[in-house]
Amino acid sequence: MQAVTIKDIFRNTEAYLNKNISISGWVRTVRVSKSFGFIEVNDGSFFKNLQVVFEENLPNFKEVASLTLSSAITVEGILLASPGAKQAFELKAANIAIAGLSQADYPLQKKRHTFEYLRTIAHLRPRTNTFSAVFRVRSVLSYAIHKFFQERGFVYVHTPIITGSDAEGAGEMFRVTTLDFNNLPRDEKGDIDFSKDFFGKETNLTVSGQLEVETYCMAFKKVYTFGPTFRAENSNTPRHAAEFWMIEPEIAFADLNDNMNLAEDMLKYVISYVLENAPEEMEFFNAFIDNTLFAKLDNVINSQFEHITYTKAIEILEQAKEKFEYPVGWGLDLKTEHERYITEKYFKKPVFIINYPKEIKAFYMRMNDDNKTVAAMDLLVPGVGEIIGGSQREERLEILEQRMRELGLKEEDYWWYLDIRKYGGTKHAGFGLGLERLLMYITGMSNIRDVVAFPRTVKSADF
Amino acid sequence: MQAVTIKDIFRNTEAYLNKNISISGWVRTVRVSKSFGFIEVNDGSFFKNLQVVFEENLPNFKEVASLTLSSAITVEGILLASPGAKQAFELKAANIAIAGLSQADYPLQKKRHTFEYLRTIAHLRPRTNTFSAVFRVRSVLSYAIHKFFQERGFVYVHTPIITGSDAEGAGEMFRVTTLDFNNLPRDEKGDIDFSKDFFGKETNLTVSGQLEVETYCMAFKKVYTFGPTFRAENSNTPRHAAEFWMIEPEIAFADLNDNMNLAEDMLKYVISYVLENAPEEMEFFNAFIDNTLFAKLDNVINSQFEHITYTKAIEILEQAKEKFEYPVGWGLDLKTEHERYITEKYFKKPVFIINYPKEIKAFYMRMNDDNKTVAAMDLLVPGVGEIIGGSQREERLEILEQRMRELGLKEEDYWWYLDIRKYGGTKHAGFGLGLERLLMYITGMSNIRDVVAFPRTVKSADF
């Protein structure tokens, strides 16, 4: 008796037809008439269920007929073609062993549940169609990202999660400590004495691995991070989580154009990979979550991405007939409504906007010759707006130091970052991509809480 | 002029011989005589350097001749065979562009540096042979782990980093907070009011994703985590870091034997993958770091792993002629000296020890029929001792609840973990593998600080 997965059966049906096989999985539905019944079984290997048919000659027919939802079973039997029926084949059970009987109060009964309710049972929701699809696609997408970079010779770097530097200053941070709150050590001035903390200093959770990975970029030329990052922002929106995963590639001997090419190649590669490797899940999303999904993703895969400057983008927005909620003008940051106008209505495809005013971008971005803009890039996609942000980095020591002085950043906090410019620094560039934002885009799911296994948001860290 | 990587040149030499090519990289050494010179260039794509030869007809011969170490250059020229010489080919430069000149006080001059010193310049050490090899192998190994699980249909799950439950209780934890230490909120009893903290409760950094991933195992059958975990242990040893990466697979409809088979297959696969995909790096480690390395790894790949019970292990130790520092006896935990005796001297190959006394193992491990031991497994390997720890999990609700009561664990803290037993829970098993421990084993590096890009240890969180 060969133990097989339901994925095997669907993908290589011919190999198993009329053979004795065994499958193990969980009951999704049971329908029984007097002398026979059907069970839809899902074994986690595949989005779809296998139909099992059983008859009253089963020694435990009664127990099987009254199986509760989500009970674990192992079925032995013969795989038969069922021509004309809704499904092309079914497993005719010779034996059904009950491996784990669900209690009758199983919370996921057949009726539809709201996503809000399902968040309260995040430990059970991957058993539903929607979340089974979301979290398999999350896995496939994560692998596609690694595969893309590894096949191109990038080195995966684990930048630190606990950081002693608020280097990027990209938002509010979570403090990491082992100090006893009821007995905080104080120095002679009465300030908290962080020299007594675990690391001997103040430490926080990282907001980005970029500065650290730049140092590895100067050794390996092509590197990337893929790890969790954190923001202690008090933003209770469908798009913000306190803990999320980021991918940050960095390439040396490379400028903003190389960076845009890399971002475009990566995005096309990973979307294509997911469409090819999770076709049933993607069909489901397109049918039940967002029926513009395939059109949207095809447009990304098949477009040549547009490239315009920030200055041009402002012109386009100023000439638009659209009423915007937020003001438009050179020097002001673009809001989502502006970004969406440009990518959805004006160009109708993905657009890179480059060369932003230095005032609205980070200190490490490379100063352009106009001395007013920096070599930043944001990639906008229809339906979302910004999905990737990046830049060419300032590799010129004096200009970087001057910029840091202007912004009041202390050189001693960045000594190692500056070293990279002193010792063989060369032009380099990189970008950041939020895994969850991309996953929302690819699945059509509209709340970040529904693409993270156990989401961490303001006032919520359950499980 | 084709831009190529040094890896391309070494792997497909024939394709580039006598061709005009261009490479970009960093100067490792320069040797100059009057009218010509040699530069060893490393471009990060490959462990080995490419030799560039240049002559005084170069317009910038003087600048090139005085290039400082680690300067970034782009070389155009023709790749020529150099028969009889130390290297099989060299790049005869037609043009050398200096892309970034290093300052003369570059800390990594030609002399040997101690690993201790190199830790103080962790941002520069990947430019040395040893750390270039370590961190490329770390990347290759990480990918091999993903590849192994993905090819076998496992779903990658990102379990939370910030956790509201001290569920595993596997050690001291780091607190995560946004409370203001100078103004801690207190409730009416005078206790810290954690409802005012970011998540509305006490939160910590995870020590393991196991309990969470078990819930996903009951949906996908085969799952794994791969992410950072944390221990706030005050252990200043070469093998302990406060932040490290763990891999935790979990399989359903599976028992301890399936778990041991998975661990053995995985270990053999990833070691073989690294040997095949980083051969130059592994040669280097075997030559300069640990010359028993290949023998040790071959022994892992080619052995059928041994399986013994804890009770048998105690017998072996009691009969050993060896003097042990720590006592041996049924009920006592095994120390590294005991583990190493069993795997190195007694069996001379990897050994699984199973069925440990319940008192020295975690509450979630499955009780054996003897009611004294649990279905735990530790995998010991020669040269290290324990490298993997795992177990079959207790899937029987009443027995798990009883065990939790015995240990004083509160059911309400584990409601979702218990739910998994109520609703279609079935036999399942899994294990944990520390990435850094495995990397130390594969590279022969003996200090965990030398296999983590920016290590976090007691009193140390630099960069």
Side-chain angles (χ1 to χ4, degrees), chain B residues 164-409:
Chain B
S165 62
D166 177 13
E168 213 199 353
E172 293 182 61
M173 298 174 96
F174 290 101
R175 183 185 301 280
V176 174
T177 183
T178 55
L179 292 180
D180 177 359
F181 283 12
N182 285 308
N183 192 14
L184 289 170
R186 306 229 169 225
D187 61 19
E188 61 276 13
K189 283 196 240 157
D191 294 333
I192 308 290
D193 182 3
F194 285 104
S195 74
K196 299 286 197 317
D197 208 345
F198 187 90
F199 295 108
K201 62 196 283 196
E202 291 190 59
T203 50
N204 297 294
L205 290 178
T206 185
V207 295
S208 161
Q210 181 204 313
L211 302 195
E212 284 93 352
V213 92
E214 278 187 54
T215 72
Y216 269 60
C217 184
M218 290 299 137
F220 292 110
K221 200 194 261 179
K222 298 194 281 188
V223 294
Y224 71 107
T225 72
F226 189 162
T229 51
F230 305 85
R231 299 284 156 86
E233 270 174 64
N234 200 346
S235 303
N236 206 347
T237 83
R239 288 170 59 77
H240 287 87
E243 173 181 321
F244 54 98
W245 285 63
M246 280 245 285
I247 298 98
E248 296 180 288
E250 190 79 25
I251 46 179
F253 295 96
D255 62 17
L256 200 60
N257 280 318
D258 300 312
N259 206 22
M260 287 191 282
N261 289 338
L262 179 67
E264 180 170 344
D265 288 351
M266 188 210 63
L267 207 55
K268 288 177 172 176
Y269 178 97
V270 300
I271 292 173
S272 302
Y273 187 91
V274 169
L275 287 167
E276 276 162 36
N277 288 276
E280 289 79 11
E281 286 81 357
M282 294 304 294
E283 286 284 356
F284 171 83
F285 291 125
N286 192 61
F288 295 105
I289 301 294
D290 173 4
N291 55 29
T292 69
L293 193 62
F294 281 162
K296 223 170 56 182
L297 297 178
D298 285 347
N299 182 31
V300 172
I301 294 172
N302 298 315
S303 297
Q304 178 108 38
F305 292 9
E306 190 63 45
H307 302 72
I308 61 168
T309 62
Y310 166 87
T311 302
K312 174 76 187 169
I314 296 296
E315 274 173 42
I316 290 170
L317 292 169
E318 284 176 339
Q319 285 158 24
K321 303 226 164 72
E322 201 92 356
K323 276 253 176 236
F324 295 117
E325 192 182 339
Y326 291 93
V328 169
W330 205 99
L332 298 176
D333 208 355
L334 301 181
K335 300 285 185 184
T336 301
E337 57 172 347
H338 307 135
E339 294 173 341
R340 291 186 64 164
Y341 174 80
I342 288 170
T343 181
E344 278 166 42
K345 300 203 178 155
Y346 193 88
F347 288 108
K348 299 183 175 61
K349 62 176 179 172
V351 182
F352 284 106
I353 301 186
I354 64 169
N355 298 343
Y356 284 75
K358 64 180 178 186
E359 289 78 9
I360 57 175
K361 289 290 182 184
F363 76 94
Y364 50 71
M365 297 191 180
R366 193 178 195 276
M367 190 68 67
N368 288 323
D369 291 344
D370 62 14
N371 221 16
K372 284 162 47 187
T373 62
V374 290
M377 68 176 214
D378 280 359
L379 175 60
L380 320 181
V381 289
V384 166
E386 186 200 326
I387 195 160
I388 283 176
S391 70
Q392 189 172 338
R393 320 305 188 185
E394 184 57 78
E395 85 280 12
R396 295 162 298 183
L397 182 62
E398 313 72 42
I399 298 177
L400 182 60
E401 287 176 333
Q402 190 191 317
R403 193 81 190 107
M404 286 172 60
R405 277 192 300 273
E406 286 169 17
L407 295 169
L409 301 173

Side-chain angles (χ1 to χ4, degrees), chain A residues 24 26 102-103 123 127 139 156 158 161-162 175 177 197-198 221 243 419 422-424 456 459, chain B residues 24 102-103 123 127 138-139 156 158 161-162 175 177 197-198 221 243 419 422-424 456 459:
Chain A
S24 295
W26 292 272
S102 263
Q103 295 184 5
H123 60 311
R127 303 177 188 194
S139 172
Y156 179 26
H158 292 108
I161 311 300
I162 299 172
R175 184 184 301 279
T177 184
D197 207 346
F198 188 90
K221 198 193 265 181
E243 173 180 322
D419 264 9
K422 290 179 186 161
Y423 305 118
R456 271 73 183 100
K459 299 294 171 202
Chain B
S24 294
S102 264
Q103 295 185 3
H123 60 311
R127 305 177 187 193
R138 185 174 171 120
S139 172
Y156 178 27
H158 293 109
I161 310 300
I162 298 172
R175 183 185 301 280
T177 183
D197 208 345
F198 187 90
K221 200 194 261 179
E243 173 181 321
D419 264 8
K422 289 178 186 160
Y423 306 118
R456 272 71 182 101
K459 299 294 170 203

Side-chain angles (χ1 to χ4, degrees), chain A residues 24-26 43-44 70-74 99-103 105-107 120 122-124 126-127 131-132 135-136 138-139 142-143 146-147 150 154-165 173-179 181-182 184 186 192 194-201 203 205 212 215-221 226-228 230-234 242-243 245 252-253 397 415-416 419-420 422-426 435 453-454 456-463, chain B residues 24-26 43-44 70-74 99-103 105-107 120 122-124 126-127 131-132 135-136 138-139 142-143 146-147 150 154-165 173-179 181-182 184 186 192 194-201 203 205 212 215-221 226-228 230-234 242-243 245 252-253 397 415-416 419-420 422-426 435 453-454 456-463:
Chain A
S24 295
W26 292 272
D43 74 347
S70 209
S71 290
I73 58 176
T74 295
L101 195 62
S102 263
Q103 295 184 5
D105 61 346
Y106 180 59
T120 68
H123 60 311
L124 300 176
R127 303 177 188 194
F131 292 96
S132 152
F135 290 105
R136 193 187 316 281
R138 185 174 171 120
S139 172
S142 298
Y143 186 56
H146 280 299
K147 200 161 147 61
Q150 294 275 340
F154 282 68
V155 170
Y156 179 26
V157 182
H158 292 108
T159 46
I161 311 300
I162 299 172
T163 170
S165 64
M173 298 174 97
F174 290 101
R175 184 184 301 279
V176 174
T177 184
T178 55
L179 292 179
F181 282 11
N182 286 308
L184 288 169
R186 305 224 169 229
I192 308 289
F194 286 103
S195 74
K196 299 286 196 314
D197 207 346
F198 188 90
F199 295 108
K201 63 197 283 197
T203 51
L205 290 178
E212 283 93 352
T215 70
Y216 269 60
C217 184
M218 291 298 137
F220 291 110
K221 198 193 265 181
F226 189 162
F230 305 85
R231 298 284 156 85
E233 270 175 64
N234 200 346
E243 173 180 322
W245 285 63
F253 295 97
L397 181 62
W415 66 273
W416 50 273
D419 264 9
I420 297 304
K422 290 179 186 161
Y423 305 118
T426 183
L435 177 67
F454 299 99
R456 271 73 183 100
T457 54
V458 183
K459 299 294 171 202
S460 172
D462 294 329
F463 305 98
Chain B
S24 294
W26 292 272
D43 74 348
S70 209
S71 291
I73 58 176
T74 295
L101 195 62
S102 264
Q103 295 185 3
D105 61 346
Y106 180 60
T120 68
H123 60 311
L124 300 176
R127 305 177 187 193
F131 292 96
S132 152
F135 290 105
R136 193 188 315 281
R138 185 174 171 120
S139 172
S142 298
Y143 186 56
H146 280 298
K147 201 162 149 56
Q150 294 275 341
F154 282 68
V155 171
Y156 178 27
V157 182
H158 293 109
T159 47
I161 310 300
I162 298 172
T163 172
S165 62
M173 298 174 96
F174 290 101
R175 183 185 301 280
V176 174
T177 183
T178 55
L179 292 180
F181 283 12
N182 285 308
L184 289 170
R186 306 229 169 225
I192 308 290
F194 285 104
S195 74
K196 299 286 197 317
D197 208 345
F198 187 90
F199 295 108
K201 62 196 283 196
T203 50
L205 290 178
E212 284 93 352
T215 72
Y216 269 60
C217 184
M218 290 299 137
F220 292 110
K221 200 194 261 179
F226 189 162
F230 305 85
R231 299 284 156 86
E233 270 174 64
N234 200 346
E243 173 181 321
W245 285 63
F253 295 96
L397 182 62
W415 66 273
W416 50 273
D419 264 8
I420 298 305
K422 289 178 186 160
Y423 306 118
T426 183
L435 177 67
F454 299 99
R456 272 71 182 101
T457 54
V458 184
K459 299 294 170 203
S460 171
D462 295 329
F463 304 98

Side-chain angles (χ1 to χ4, degrees), chain A residues 67 276 312:
Chain A
L67 271 172
E276 277 162 36
K312 174 76 185 170

